[in-house]
């Protein structure tokens, strides 16, 4: 089984991946780690701010890693924001049967009422070097983009409206 976890920035993707690793003992691959390895090694001239270009650049690599895990009957959690909205078009039904897709997003109301808490959890698993770009308005825009983008391809979104813990509990039970 391959579990893909994606969603907006600061939504708790890495926390969920870490908890799944601890509970199910599935290894997980952070697309951010892959991104930074390729950037720091000089293999690409893209920067961490080149989000759309990074999705186009990273997805073919991540896609083939997912296929390889499935072909080898290995479990894997793939976590990150660089999953294209039309990701399913990259796989035939044989592969899709072995993929579980999780997309996390937050409602505007949740962001407004929990913004300080959201920011305080920004480095729970990985240390964010610069979080100054993160504003409640930017988070709302990012979440709207994620919700609208994935919904336009028929994907189910787990919308966090009241409690992050309640929203992810089903993935850990």
């Amino acid at each position: 089984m391959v579990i893909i976890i994606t969603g907006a920035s600061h939504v708790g993707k890495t926390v969920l991946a870490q908890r799944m690793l601890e509970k199910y003992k599935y290894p997980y691959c952070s697309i951010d780690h892959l991104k930074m390895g390729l950037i720091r090694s000089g293999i690409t001239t893209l920067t961490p701010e080149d989000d759309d270009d990074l999705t186009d650049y990273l997805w073919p690599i991540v896609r083939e890693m997912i296929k390889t895990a499935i072909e080898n009957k290995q479990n894997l959690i793939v976590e990150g924001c660089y999953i294209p909205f039309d990701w399913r078009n990259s796989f035939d039904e044989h592969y899709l049967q072995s993929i579980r897709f999780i997309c996390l997003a937050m409602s505007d109301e949740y962001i407004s009422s929990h913004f300080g808490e959201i920011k305080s959890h920004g480095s729970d698993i990985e240390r964010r070097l610069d979080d100054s770009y993160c504003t409640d308005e930017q988070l709302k825009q990012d979440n709207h983009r994620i919700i609208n983008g994935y919904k336009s391809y028929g994907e189910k979104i787990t919308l966090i409206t009241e409690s992050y813990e309640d929203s992810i509990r089903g993935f850990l039970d």
Side-chain angles (χ1 to χ4, degrees), residues 1-7 13 16-17 20 26-29 31 59 62-63 65-67 70 76-84 86-88 90-91 95-96 98-104 150 155-156 158 171:
M1 170 67 59
V2 173
I3 302 169
I4 298 173
I5 303 172
T6 194
K13 301 178 296 291
L16 178 57
M20 287 182 143
Y26 290 9
Y28 92 81
C29 173
I31 301 174
W59 179 243
V62 172
R63 176 192 69 218
M65 291 169 60
I66 291 169
K67 287 179 180 178
I70 292 169
L76 179 65
I77 300 165
V78 176
E79 172 270 319
C81 62
Y82 302 104
I83 307 294
D86 66 346
W87 70 273
R88 286 184 189 271
S90 297
F91 301 100
Y95 291 107
L96 290 172
S98 298
I99 299 172
R100 182 172 183 197
F101 179 77
I102 299 170
C103 179
L104 302 176
Y150 284 114
E155 297 296 345
K156 181 181 179 229
T158 298
F171 301 121

Side-chain angles (χ1 to χ4, degrees), residues 3-173:
I3 302 169
I4 298 173
I5 303 172
T6 194
S9 177
H10 286 77
V11 79
K13 301 178 296 291
T14 308
V15 168
L16 178 57
Q18 181 69 33
R19 289 187 186 172
M20 287 182 143
L21 173 146
E22 292 167 2
K23 178 167 184 160
Y24 300 115
K25 309 299 185 225
Y26 290 9
Y28 92 81
C29 173
S30 166
I31 301 174
D32 279 344
H33 291 173
L34 176 61
K35 167 189 78 176
M36 292 310 298
L38 292 165
I39 289 171
R40 288 179 173 176
S41 67
I43 291 174
T44 181
T45 58
L46 294 171
T47 71
E49 288 78 37
D50 296 324
D51 283 340
D52 291 338
D53 292 333
L54 281 164
T55 298
D56 293 342
Y57 184 78
L58 294 168
W59 179 243
I61 300 165
V62 172
R63 176 192 69 218
E64 297 308 315
M65 291 169 60
I66 291 169
K67 287 179 180 178
T68 300
I70 292 169
E71 291 162 358
N72 288 318
K73 298 186 182 342
Q74 295 173 306
N75 298 315
L76 179 65
I77 300 165
V78 176
E79 172 270 319
C81 62
Y82 302 104
I83 307 294
F85 298 135
D86 66 346
W87 70 273
R88 286 184 189 271
N89 294 337
S90 297
F91 301 100
D92 65 28
E93 188 57 35
H94 162 75
Y95 291 107
L96 290 172
Q97 291 175 5
S98 298
I99 299 172
R100 182 172 183 197
F101 179 77
I102 299 170
C103 179
L104 302 176
M106 297 177 282
S107 69
D108 285 352
E109 296 77 17
Y110 182 84
I111 294 168
S112 293
S113 61
H114 294 86
F115 182 69
E117 181 182 348
I118 293 166
K119 288 270 291 195
S120 74
H121 288 288
S123 293
D124 280 0
I125 304 297
E126 298 175 332
R127 173 164 278 158
R128 293 179 189 266
L129 298 178
D130 179 13
D131 208 13
S132 61
Y133 69 91
C134 182
T135 65
D136 73 339
E137 199 53 45
Q138 179 269 329
L139 282 181
K140 289 175 185 176
Q141 288 174 5
D142 193 27
N143 277 270
H144 283 270
R145 184 183 65 78
I146 293 296
I147 292 166
N148 294 334
Y150 284 114
K151 277 193 173 180
S152 73
Y153 283 92
E155 297 296 345
K156 181 181 179 229
I157 311 297
T158 298
L159 189 63
I160 301 164
T161 58
E162 294 183 27
S163 163
Y164 175 78
E165 294 300 327
D166 289 344
S167 297
I168 67 163
R169 184 170 290 120
F171 301 121
L172 298 170
D173 291 339

